[in-house]
């Protein structure tokens, strides 16, 4: 018996018996109406991060893409799934906001600080180059004598800010922002505290959402 699969099936049964009955009308509407999410949420693939739960969003409100380290390759460098999601979300779905969300205790950020940990994972190692500039900035900031914060936390922040810069190199994003049809923000989610800090577009600092 596949214990993990059985656990997943048990979850499906609970969904069918406890969750779906109270939301059947929402599912029925969703099945016949086109999705119209207002936000594209670019999150880390970390299993402890749940974008819909974090934003308390209903079905159809948030379009989500996830990858290791919540990375957004600069346009033209690694065209693939992330680029396609961004282009589709902005051009077809016409989302009005894009979030790039990092988090505490991120495995990707730890790997950047300890490259040997991914020496047997060439694909992951290559993917992490999308955050190399953030590592340089974080290390530079951390060497300042007045800086007392943990390097991992500084790196997580700088990575989010870097990915926002990369995001703006995508033609669909640049065009929509120029027309005033799209805004962006960078988020940091502290898993242990259940706390979100946000850097709105143009800001370098993160402000806690109270």
């Amino acid at each position: 018996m596949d214990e993990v699969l059985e656990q997943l099936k048990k979850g499906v049964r609970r969904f069918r018996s406890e969750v779906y009955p109270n939301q059947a009308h929402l599912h029925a509407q969703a099945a016949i109406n086109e999705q119209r999410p207002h936000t594209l949420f670019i999150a880390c693939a970390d299993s402890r991060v749940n974008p819909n739960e974090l934003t308390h969003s209903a079905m159809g409100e948030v379009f989500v893409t996830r990858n290791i380290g919540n990375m957004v390759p600069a346009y033209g460098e690694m065209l693939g799934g992330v680029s396609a999601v961004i282009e589709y979300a902005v051009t077809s779905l016409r989302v009005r906001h894009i979030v790039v969300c990092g988090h505490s205790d991120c495995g990707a950020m730890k790997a950047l600080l300890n490259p040997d940990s991914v020496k047997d994972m060439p694909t992951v190692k290559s993917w992490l180059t999308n955050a190399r500039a953030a590592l340089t900035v974080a290390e530079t900031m951390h060497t300042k004598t007045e800086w007392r914060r943990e390097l991992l936390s500084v790196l997580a922040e700088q990575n989010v800010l870097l990915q926002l810069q990369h995001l703006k190199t995508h033609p669909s994003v640049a065009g929509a922002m120029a027309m005033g049809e799209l805004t962006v923000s960078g988020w940091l989610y502290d898993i242990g505290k259940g706390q979100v800090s946000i850097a709105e577009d143009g800001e370098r600092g993160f402000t806690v959402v109270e």
Side-chain angles (χ1 to χ4, degrees):
M1 178 185 294
D2 189 328
E3 294 182 3
V4 175
L5 178 56
E6 289 305 312
Q7 181 179 345
L8 293 172
K9 288 161 68 175
K10 183 178 179 180
V12 171
R13 294 187 186 102
R14 288 190 62 184
F15 167 76
R16 287 287 302 159
S17 63
E18 300 175 19
V19 178
Y20 179 79
N22 295 324
Q23 300 179 355
H25 64 291
L26 296 177
H27 287 264
Q29 291 177 359
I32 60 176
N33 296 325
E34 291 185 4
Q35 62 169 326
R36 287 298 176 206
H38 50 65
T39 298
L40 167 60
F41 203 100
I42 302 173
C44 183
D46 193 295
S47 59
R48 298 166 294 179
V49 179
N50 186 331
N52 288 87
E53 180 180 63
L54 188 60
T55 58
H56 199 63
S57 297
M59 184 190 308
E61 291 184 336
V62 178
F63 195 62
V64 179
T65 186
R66 307 176 66 152
N67 63 69
I68 293 176
N70 42 273
M71 308 284 189
V72 179
Y75 188 77
E77 292 189 5
M78 288 186 179
L79 290 177
V82 177
S83 301
V85 168
I86 292 170
E87 186 174 81
Y88 182 77
V90 176
T91 304
S92 181
L93 299 179
R94 299 193 177 281
V95 295
R96 303 191 302 276
H97 190 78
I98 300 179
V99 170
V100 176
C101 182
H103 65 93
S104 60
D105 195 46
C106 180
M109 299 303 100
K110 290 180 177 179
L112 281 167
L113 295 173
N114 180 22
D116 285 345
S117 66
V118 292
K119 64 181 180 181
D120 297 325
M121 294 179 272
T123 305
V124 173
K125 184 177 180 179
S126 176
W127 179 252
L128 292 178
T129 60
N130 290 298
R132 185 63 58 188
L135 176 61
T136 301
V137 173
E139 289 178 333
T140 300
M141 295 175 70
H142 200 258
T143 56
K144 293 183 178 181
T145 57
E146 70 272 16
W147 207 268
R148 292 292 181 270
R149 296 177 56 219
E150 184 184 14
L151 178 56
L152 182 62
S153 298
V154 179
L155 177 55
E157 287 186 358
Q158 293 306 313
N159 178 55
V160 168
L161 295 174
L162 175 64
Q163 305 314 318
L164 284 176
Q165 293 180 34
H166 290 173
L167 179 65
K168 295 177 184 179
T169 67
H170 289 247
S172 58
V173 173
M177 292 187 72
M179 295 298 293
E181 299 171 349
L182 179 70
T183 55
V184 301
S185 63
W187 292 25
L188 277 171
Y189 172 45
D190 188 313
I191 297 172
K193 296 179 180 178
Q195 180 176 282
V196 174
S197 300
I198 297 178
E200 297 189 19
D201 187 30
E203 295 181 351
R204 297 290 300 177
F206 290 78
T207 302
V208 175
V209 178
E210 301 289 358

